[in-house]
C-alpha cells in the first residue's frame, strides 16, 4: 500500500509538506502542491480516513439535518438541488456528508447523535425552530438554510421580494382580482411569501377577499389542487393566482383544466421556486426563481468559514428573479 512516505520520496518534499498538501493547509506553495499532487496521481495514493482523522483531529464529516413535513424528503426538487450544490462545494475540501432526515429538526436526540459521531460542522435544512436545542452550547459550528432571519448564520431566499415581483407583474398585466395559494404558515418561507403578497397588494391599493387566501399545505401537487378547487368555488373568481410553490402551481393548473377553463386565458398563474419541470408544463409556468445552486454554495462557504474559526454570525439573503413564461396574460 502506498504511503505518504512514498509520496515524499517521489516528490522530493518532506513528510510534513506532503501532509499539509493532503490536508489542504493554506501555507504551502503552489509549486509544492503541484509536485505532491503529481506524485499522488502517479502512485495512485488514496488517503486512509482513520489516519487522516488522527493526524488532523477532524472527523471530515459534516452533518446534514433535513426536516420537512411533505414526506418526500430530499426528492423534493428544491431541496435536492440545494443539497447537491452544498455537497459539491464541501467535497472540494474532502468532507463527507452524514444525513439525518428524521422530520424532527435539530432536537436533543439528533443533536446528541451528531456529537457522538464527532462531526466537524452541521447544516440544518428546513427544520422547524420550536424544538431546537440551545445551539449556543454546540461543540460544532451550525448553519441554517431556509430558517427565520433571527437564526444566527443562515441562508435563505428573498421570499418577500419574490411575492412582490409576482404581484407587480400581474398588476402590470392589468390584473386586480389576485388570489394567493399559501404554503403551510408554520414554514418560514411560506410565511414570508404571505407577508410579501399582502404588502404588495396593499401597495397597489388592491383588496384581498378572505376567500382569496387559501392554504395549499406543505407545497405539494395535491395541496395545490385542493386550494384551487376552493378558489374556483368563489362566485367572483380571481383572474390571477400567486402560488407559493411550483408543485402547488402545477396542481392548480390541472384543476383549472379539469374545470373546462384555460391557463392563462381564464386564469393566470405564477409559481415560486423554478423547479426543472416548470418550463415543461402546458403552458410553461411563469415563476419566481430561487437560486438553489447559490443557496447551497453560500451555506457551504459560511459553514467552512465557521469551521476554520470565523466567529461572525450573519444572514445571507439570496436574490430571486421573475421568470416569464406562458402561464400569465394581459387583460
Amino acid at each position: 500500500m502506498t504511503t505518504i512516505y512514498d509520496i515524499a520520496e517521489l516528490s522530493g518534499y518532506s513528510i510534513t509538506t506532503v501532509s499539509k498538501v493532503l490536508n489542504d493547509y493554506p501555507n504551502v506553495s503552489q509549486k509544492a502542491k503541484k509536485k505532491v499532487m503529481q506524485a499522488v496521481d502517479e502512485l495512485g495514493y488514496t488517503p486512509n480516513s482513520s489516519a487522516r482523522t488522527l493526524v488532523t483531529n477532524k472527523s471530515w464529516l459534516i452533518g446534514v439535518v433535513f426536516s420537512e413535513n411533505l414526506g418526500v424528503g430530499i426528492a423534493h426538487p428544491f431541496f435536492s438541488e440545494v443539497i447537491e450544490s452544498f455537497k459539491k462545494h464541501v467535497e472540494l475540501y474532502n468532507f463527507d456528508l452524514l444525513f439525518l432526515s428524521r422530520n424532527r429538526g435539530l432536537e436533543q436526540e439528533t443533536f446528541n447523535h451528531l456529537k457522538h459521531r464527532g462531526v466537524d460542522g452541521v447544516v440544518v435544512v428546513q427544520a422547524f425552530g420550536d424544538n431546537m436545542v440551545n445551539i449556543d452550547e454546540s461543540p460544532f459550528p451550525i448553519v441554517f438554510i431556509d430558517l427565520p432571519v433571527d437564526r444566527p448564520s443562515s441562508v435563505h431566499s428573498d421570499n418577500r421580494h419574490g411575492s412582490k415581483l409576482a404581484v407587480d407583474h400581474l398588476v402590470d398585466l392589468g390584473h386586480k382580482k389576485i388570489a394567493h395559494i399559501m404554503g403551510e404558515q408554520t414554514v418560514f418561507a411560506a410565511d414570508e411569501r404571505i407577508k410579501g403578497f399582502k404588502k404588495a397588494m396593499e401597495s397597489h391599493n388592491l383588496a384581498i377577499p378572505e376567500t382569496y387566501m387559501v392554504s395549499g399545505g406543505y407545497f405539494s401537487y395535491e395541496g395545490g389542487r385542493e386550494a384551487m378547487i376552493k378558489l374556483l368555488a368563489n362566485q367572483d373568481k380571481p383572474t390571477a393566482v400567486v402560488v407559493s410553490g411550483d408543485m402547488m402551481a402545477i396542481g392548480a393548473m390541472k384543476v383549472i383544466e379539469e374545470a373546462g377553463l384555460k391557463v392563462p386565458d381564464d386564469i393566470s398563474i405564477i409559481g415560486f421556486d423554478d423547479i426543472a419541470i416548470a418550463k415543461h408544463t402546458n403552458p410553461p409556468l411563469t415563476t419566481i426563481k430561487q437560486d438553489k445552486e447559490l443557496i447551497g454554495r453560500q451555506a457551504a462557504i459560511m459553514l467552512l468559514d465557521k469551521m476554520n474559526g470565523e466567529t461572525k454570525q450573519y444572514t445571507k439573503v439570496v436574490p430571486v428573479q421573475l421568470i416569464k413564461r406562458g402561464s400569465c396574460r394581459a387583460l
Side-chain angles (χ1 to χ4, degrees), residues 185-235:
Q185 294 180 59
T186 60
V187 176
F188 168 68
D191 186 54
E192 289 289 286
R193 292 169 196 176
I194 293 167
K195 291 173 180 175
F197 174 80
K198 289 180 176 179
K199 185 174 181 180
M201 292 289 284
E202 182 183 345
S203 71
H204 291 288
N205 296 314
L206 294 177
I208 310 173
E210 185 177 339
T211 53
Y212 275 25
M213 298 287 291
V214 183
S215 176
Y218 289 104
F219 299 90
S220 69
Y221 173 87
E222 293 76 15
R225 285 184 58 86
E226 293 174 9
M228 195 67 228
I229 289 170
K230 293 176 182 177
L231 286 177
L232 290 182
N234 277 279
Q235 193 72 29

Side-chain angles (χ1 to χ4, degrees), residues 23 47-58 60 94 96:
N23 291 290
N48 180 286
S49 61
S50 297
R52 185 172 63 149
T53 297
L54 288 171
V55 170
T56 63
N57 198 31
K58 292 181 179 180
W60 297 95
N94 299 315
D96 294 318

Side-chain angles (χ1 to χ4, degrees), residues 258-317:
E258 291 171 351
L261 302 173
K262 287 187 177 181
V263 176
D265 295 356
D266 298 299
I267 299 178
S268 293
I269 297 287
I270 295 185
F272 206 119
D273 284 337
D274 194 30
I275 60 178
I277 198 174
K279 66 181 72 172
H280 302 296
T281 57
N282 184 26
L285 180 64
T286 295
T287 188
I288 303 300
K289 178 183 177 66
Q290 294 197 79
D291 194 334
K292 296 169 281 293
E293 195 281 332
L294 182 56
I295 292 171
R297 177 155 44 92
Q298 288 289 351
I301 292 170
M302 189 180 290
L303 184 58
L304 290 168
D305 284 347
K306 287 169 70 73
M307 287 160 55
N308 285 323
E310 174 62 61
T311 58
K312 181 182 177 182
Q313 306 277 18
Y314 62 96
T315 295
K316 180 68 178 180
V317 180

Side-chain angles (χ1 to χ4, degrees), residues 24-292:
D24 201 29
Y25 280 73
N27 59 334
V28 183
S29 70
Q30 289 301 315
K31 179 182 177 182
K33 286 183 180 180
K34 183 176 180 180
K35 290 284 289 182
V36 169
M37 294 313 296
Q38 284 176 344
V40 167
D41 292 340
E42 187 174 335
L43 294 170
Y45 172 75
T46 302
N48 180 286
S49 61
S50 297
R52 185 172 63 149
T53 297
L54 288 171
V55 170
T56 63
N57 198 31
K58 292 181 179 180
S59 68
W60 297 95
L61 273 178
I62 291 175
V64 180
V65 177
F66 182 82
S67 176
E68 54 81 45
N69 286 6
L70 184 55
V72 298
I74 59 173
H76 189 283
F78 171 76
F79 295 119
S80 62
E81 291 185 49
V82 168
I83 293 174
E84 180 62 22
S85 172
F86 179 87
K87 173 177 170 287
K88 283 181 179 178
H89 195 80
V90 298
E91 281 181 343
L92 295 174
Y93 297 87
N94 299 315
F95 285 96
D96 294 318
L97 300 183
L98 172 67
F99 283 87
L100 287 88
S101 181
R102 302 179 180 179
N103 295 335
R104 290 197 301 246
L106 192 58
E107 60 182 19
Q108 192 63 52
E109 183 180 347
T110 306
F111 190 75
N112 291 341
H113 182 68
L114 290 164
K115 287 197 292 185
H116 175 71
R117 294 299 297 268
V119 298
D120 296 319
V122 172
V123 60
V124 181
V125 188
Q126 188 51 63
F128 302 93
D130 293 342
N131 59 350
M132 287 199 179
V133 296
N134 183 1
I135 62 172
D136 293 333
E137 301 173 359
S138 173
F140 40 72
I142 302 174
V143 165
F144 298 92
I145 294 177
D146 243 15
L147 275 175
V149 291
D150 59 353
R151 288 283 173 192
S153 299
S154 62
V155 182
H156 63 83
S157 291
D158 194 343
N159 293 290
R160 294 194 191 194
H161 185 62
S163 290
K164 181 181 186 303
L165 290 176
V167 171
D168 288 351
H169 178 56
L170 291 172
V171 171
D172 288 343
L173 293 175
H175 293 273
K176 295 182 179 179
K177 296 189 291 184
I178 305 171
H180 183 42
I181 294 180
M182 307 175 286
E184 168 57 44
Q185 294 180 59
T186 60
V187 176
F188 168 68
D191 186 54
E192 289 289 286
R193 292 169 196 176
I194 293 167
K195 291 173 180 175
F197 174 80
K198 289 180 176 179
K199 185 174 181 180
M201 292 289 284
E202 182 183 345
S203 71
H204 291 288
N205 296 314
L206 294 177
I208 310 173
E210 185 177 339
T211 53
Y212 275 25
M213 298 287 291
V214 183
S215 176
Y218 289 104
F219 299 90
S220 69
Y221 173 87
E222 293 76 15
R225 285 184 58 86
E226 293 174 9
M228 195 67 228
I229 289 170
K230 293 176 182 177
L231 286 177
L232 290 182
N234 277 279
Q235 193 72 29
D236 187 19
K237 294 177 179 58
T239 62
V241 184
V242 175
V243 189
S244 192
D246 284 351
M247 289 304 296
M248 292 192 297
I250 294 169
M253 290 169 70
K254 185 63 175 176
V255 166
I256 293 170
E257 178 188 335
E258 291 171 351
L261 302 173
K262 287 187 177 181
V263 176
D265 295 356
D266 298 299
I267 299 178
S268 293
I269 297 287
I270 295 185
F272 206 119
D273 284 337
D274 194 30
I275 60 178
I277 198 174
K279 66 181 72 172
H280 302 296
T281 57
N282 184 26
L285 180 64
T286 295
T287 188
I288 303 300
K289 178 183 177 66
Q290 294 197 79
D291 194 334
K292 296 169 281 293

Side-chain angles (χ1 to χ4, degrees), residues 2-15:
T2 302
T3 68
I4 62 173
Y5 296 96
D6 300 316
I7 297 171
E9 183 177 352
L10 181 59
S11 67
Y13 285 94
S14 67
I15 297 293

